[in-house]
Amino acid sequence: MAGWCDVNLTSTGEMEARTAGRLLYENGIELDHAFTSVLRRASFSCNMMLNMANQHWVPVTKTWRLNERHYGALQGYNKDTAYKELGLDQELVMQMRRSYDVRPPRMLDDHPYWHGTDRRWVHQSLAIRCIKIVCNSPFRFIPYFRYRKLSPDQLDSSRAESLKDAAERIMPFYNSVVVPSMRSGNKCIIVSHANTIRTLIKNIDGISDEDIKGMSIPTGIPLLYRLDKNMKPVDPQIELEFRYMVEPKGCVEGSHRIALQA
């Protein structure tokens, strides 16, 4: 359960990102604005996809609000063995993973993947040469915290999230940033994580809390939405308005759900 763990893309993930870009290119999909999370696997996927689509110049907005759901104390554990390692009931762990409003145990400060002290270093431009002299170094670095803009309440609530909790940070960003971009005439793409995409689909298509449990999102396959001027699906009679650019392997469409074979 990677969650907010900043893992690298696997070789399979890199291939899927490039394949997604190729599908966009071959289908003549032109983009104006891309959105992604601050996690490297999504950020790298976005860059690879845009490069392969020959649209590397498209502006990209990154935000923690599009991060994967935070799995709390379960984060970093294997989904099949976490219950043993943490001494939890196996059915409870499954419920935490798949239900809409059940949170996992909270992540504490001593957890190896606690993001409250996530430090990055960014190069500060040294156009003023005197700084070089004072520092006696050609570079000056300043500490940069990826989640520095989170309020104390936001940081605390990010210690563990249900899918419902994740929606409370994802949808305000979608409605206040992505929707205005689309209203201005931009064709937008969101490159993110399974639970982030599930949240967006749930809210756009009006899927119930119960039915969202059965929806899985295949990786590396762009899905397209047609939205009207009110940002609603063009044909509300269609159970799921979006369509995949290629049919996911093992995909079975059901009532308001896409079921994928593991």
Side-chain angles (χ1 to χ4, degrees), residues 120-206:
R120 291 293 182 270
W121 296 90
V122 293
H123 175 258
Q124 185 182 44
S125 176
L126 297 177
I128 304 176
R129 293 183 178 274
C130 66
I131 295 180
K132 289 186 179 181
I133 298 173
V134 172
C135 295
N136 194 28
S137 170
F139 302 106
R140 179 169 177 256
F141 291 89
I142 59 174
Y144 176 87
F145 292 91
R146 184 175 4 188
Y147 301 112
R148 72 195 187 286
K149 293 185 178 180
L150 273 68
S151 69
D153 287 343
Q154 288 172 332
L155 191 62
D156 187 64
S157 65
S158 69
R159 290 178 181 272
E161 292 180 318
S162 64
L163 193 60
K164 181 180 179 180
D165 295 326
E168 290 176 358
R169 61 171 164 83
I170 295 167
M171 294 313 300
F173 177 82
Y174 172 78
N175 290 321
S176 65
V177 181
V178 180
V179 167
S181 183
M182 291 191 290
R183 287 192 185 281
S184 70
N186 289 331
K187 294 179 180 178
C188 299
I189 188 165
I190 297 176
V191 182
S192 194
H193 312 271
N195 284 302
T196 308
I197 302 301
R198 286 173 71 209
T199 296
L200 292 167
I201 291 173
K202 180 185 189 304
N203 285 271
I204 293 172
D205 272 305

Side-chain angles (χ1 to χ4, degrees), residues 224-251:
L224 308 180
Y225 262 104
R226 296 180 302 144
L227 303 176
D228 61 21
K229 64 180 181 180
N230 296 314
M231 297 294 119
K232 299 298 183 183
V234 171
D235 188 349
Q237 300 305 313
I238 298 177
E239 286 187 341
L240 288 171
E241 172 56 27
F242 69 80
R243 68 176 178 85
Y244 291 106
M245 295 191 72
V246 295
E247 190 71 10
K249 292 181 180 180
C251 175

